[in-house]
Amino acid sequence: MKKYQKFRIITGIGIASLIMIFAPQGFSQSENPGPRIGIKGGVNFSQFFVDQPTVEDENMKTGVHFGIFTKIPLTNFLAIQPELLYTNVGSKVSYGGSDVESLLGIREGEVRFNLNYIQLPLALAVNLGPLNIHAGPYVSYLISANVKDLKTSDLSTSDPIELNKDNFNTIDYGLFAGIGFDIGNVTVGARYNHGLREVGTAGLGGTLTNNSRNAVAQIFLGFGF
């Protein structure tokens, strides 16, 4: 829980920094609800926060996201913003302790989880001049997954660990919120995604990621047409 709170604090600091950097430039521009259609991409900082007594450490995994978006004005202040994105998330988790082999059937080691989704976010955006505050739900479809041992070759079972997309839930869904600045045809911003569904399914995939949900902070840059 402490790590989860720390992750949220770091995300909040990042969003506040963007406000301080871009707000003075943005508000010098005329009011603009933002680009109607465009492309976007950026960096993901993701983590699982595994509820597992054999977890010794967890670290953020860096990934990417990119895709298309459109902004449909409802009024001068409100707009709907659907997006279609590819997004790469996951986490780095270190397993250890005297019980790791008896509980999980593996030896201690550090593992990197890589999950690749096609994501459909649907945001309601409030436009305040060039600043927009947006939030809404998302749904994601898992297209591939793999697990890699990063620290030691000792991580093994009687048979090698082979986790793929069948060991994780195909559909993920959750909520997100963020801010953006529309400066001309350029949009820059930050967003936090919080998954509402467990990542892993039954079996070893579910055990290694016990009670985990996707938690992803994003920084993005978009170009409108």
Side-chain angles (χ1 to χ4, degrees), residues 79 81 122-126 132-137 175-179 191-192:
Q81 183 170 314
L122 180 60
L124 177 66
V126 178
N132 74 76
I133 302 172
H134 58 271
L175 301 172
F176 66 90
I179 60 168
R191 177 182 294 177
Y192 176 75

Side-chain angles (χ1 to χ4, degrees), residues 32-37 69-73 79-82 125 127 132 182:
N32 183 353
R36 301 295 179 86
I37 188 170
F69 70 92
T70 183
K71 200 167 189 178
I72 305 168
I80 294 176
Q81 183 170 314
N127 301 302
N132 74 76
D182 302 321

Side-chain angles (χ1 to χ4, degrees), residues 21 35 44 52 56-57 61 66 90 103 106 152-154 157 163 174 176-178 196 200 212-213:
I21 293 171
N44 293 339
Q52 175 62 255
E56 293 188 330
D57 192 23
K61 175 189 175 299
F66 56 84
L103 291 177
I106 63 173
T152 174
S153 60
D154 289 338
T157 58
L163 297 182
F176 66 90
L196 298 178
S212 299
R213 291 164 174 79

Side-chain angles (χ1 to χ4, degrees), residues 72-99:
I72 305 168
L74 300 177
T75 69
N76 289 336
F77 301 101
L78 294 176
I80 294 176
Q81 183 170 314
E83 303 175 0
L84 183 63
L85 306 174
Y86 163 85
T87 184
N88 167 248
V89 301
S91 191
K92 294 179 183 178
V93 184
S94 294
Y95 299 91
S98 58
D99 295 330

Side-chain angles (χ1 to χ4, degrees), residues 113 163 167-168 199-210:
F113 296 87
L163 297 182
N167 300 106
F168 302 92
V199 172
T201 57
L204 185 57
T207 302
L208 290 175
T209 62
N210 185 48

